[in-house]
């Protein structure tokens, strides 16, 4: 073999070695990790790309569990349960994250005209869709409705002075604790963050992904999805939207990131006296919403400047379902969010920001014009 031939072989070997090392490095940087757990009454599915993915998913799972302990009204030592227990009596110091979530959800309650109301607890507990769903008596429902009112949720320093009887020693000398207090004005009132808990869980998880520095990730908690970073192939995230009339897909969203939440009458319901009652309650009437819609999907883009954008997407989906197509579209526009509205006749309306991002694939549906 000539010297020139040997050199060519040597360079070819070096090239293949470098190529192999590059392939190993690429795979190590883009390897996929998956984890499935259970929280918020739903399966939590995570997929993460990049180094540190396993640790990031474990940290996210712990963050979701901690969040559930804080904001579930069923957890006796949690922030929300304590505020409910002290309704009409005194303000309760809560974690800064809980306070920020309450303030954001109160703002959504006001913006939606009460179509979403964070104080719906007394009414929701009467219907008991999670354990023993049934139609409440008219009298008890009327009494519960009187205890619903987001304007009677107080936060920060104002909470101390609005209550008739407050033990001053609770906060004397501790202004910081006072500023982190939350209170309900009337005995019997109750917060219920069930409508935004899954979206909030996505918020908590994405904060962990960012801290861990992973390349990209997807978390699905029930009907809420968080999309972080980038996929290894650089393409858009593909999110399947459930067909409200079946188990298949209505269509596919292609998105650069952000948060997606869906509220549908198919999720929880029961039948009584030949009537069907679904779980999305109108806080203004106390009964299941009758807007003509069967499903609303909301996308909050990644650039949205909110402390809890995942929770916001969840709350907006509920509010829009209650409001109906026209008023729901106006609400989304005010927040810079986008949506897909499906009515009982199979009409699918898509807001302008999702045109070109959503492909309708299910038979039996037809597209209508989106927001004006």
């Amino acid at each position: 073999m000539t010297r020139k031939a040997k050199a060519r072989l040597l360079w070819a070997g070096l090239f293949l070695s470098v190529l192999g090392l590059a392939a190993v490095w690429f795979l190590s940087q883009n390897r996929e990790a998956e984890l499935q757990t259970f929280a918020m009454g739903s399966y939590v599915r995570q997929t993460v790309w990049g180094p540190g993915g396993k640790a990031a998913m474990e940290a996210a799972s712990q963050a979701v569990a901690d969040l559930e302990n804080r904001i579930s009204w069923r957890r006796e030592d949690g922030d929300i349960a304590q505020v409910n227990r002290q309704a009409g009596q005194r303000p309760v110091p809560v974690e800064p994250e809980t306070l920020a979530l309450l303030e954001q959800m109160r703002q959504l309650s006001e913006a939606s005209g009460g179509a979403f109301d964070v104080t719906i607890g007394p009414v929701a507990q009467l219907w008991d869709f999670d354990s023993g769903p049934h139609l409440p008596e008219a009298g008890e429902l009327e009494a519960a409705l009187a205890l619903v009112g987001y304007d009677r949720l107080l936060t920060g320093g104002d909470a101390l002075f609005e209550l008739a009887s407050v033990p001053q020693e609770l906060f004397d000398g501790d202004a910081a604790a006072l500023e982190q207090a939350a209170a309900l004005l009337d005995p019997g009132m109750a917060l219920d963050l069930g409508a935004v808990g899954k979206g909030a869980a996505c918020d908590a998880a994405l904060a962990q992904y960012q801290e861990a520095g992973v390349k990209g990730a997807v978390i699905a908690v029930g009907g809420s999805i968080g999309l972080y970073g980038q996929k290894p192939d650089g393409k858009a995230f593909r999110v399947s939207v459930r067909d409200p009339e079946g188990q298949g897909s209505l269509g596919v969203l292609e998105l650069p990131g952000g948060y997606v939440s869906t509220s549908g009458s198919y999720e929880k319901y029961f039948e009584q006296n030949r009537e069907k009652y679904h779980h999305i309650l109108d806080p203004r009437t106390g009964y299941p919403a009758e807007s003509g819609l069967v499903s609303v999907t909301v996308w909050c883009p990644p650039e949205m400047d909110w402390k809890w954008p995942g929770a916001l997407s969840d709350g907006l989906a509920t509010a829009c379902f209650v409001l109906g197509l026209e008023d729901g579209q106006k609400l989304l526009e005010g927040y810079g969010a986008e949506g897909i509205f499906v009515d009982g006749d199979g009409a699918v309306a898509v807001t302008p920001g999702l045109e070109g991002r959503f492909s309708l694939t299910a038979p039996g549906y037809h597209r209508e014009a989106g927001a004006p």
Side-chain angles (χ1 to χ4, degrees), residues 211-297:
E211 183 175 335
V214 299
K215 296 178 71 67
V218 176
I219 180 169
V221 188
S224 292
I225 298 172
L227 310 168
Y228 174 78
Q230 286 188 326
K231 294 169 58 180
D233 59 10
K235 295 181 180 179
F237 293 99
R238 290 173 57 85
V239 176
S240 177
V241 179
R242 180 174 167 177
D243 181 349
E245 299 298 333
Q247 296 298 317
S249 172
L250 175 73
V252 176
L253 279 166
E254 296 191 25
L255 303 169
Y259 298 85
V260 180
S261 292
T262 298
S263 289
S265 55
Y266 57 83
E267 296 174 32
K268 297 177 185 177
Y269 63 89
F270 68 92
E271 294 185 8
Q272 186 171 326
N273 300 327
R274 298 183 179 179
E275 291 286 337
K276 182 177 179 179
Y277 300 93
H278 62 76
H279 77 296
I280 305 177
L281 302 175
D282 185 338
R284 302 165 300 185
T285 67
Y287 288 92
E290 297 181 352
S291 62
L293 298 174
V294 294
S295 175
V296 176
T297 296

Side-chain angles (χ1 to χ4, degrees), residues 51 91 152 173 261 332 346:
R152 287 175 282 163
S261 292
L332 291 184

Side-chain angles (χ1 to χ4, degrees), residues 25 39 55 93 121 158 168 185 196 235 239 284 304 315 335 347 355 372:
W25 178 86
D158 292 340
Q168 295 290 326
L185 281 182
V196 300
K235 295 181 180 179
V239 176
R284 302 165 300 185
M304 183 174 282
Y335 276 92
E355 290 291 349

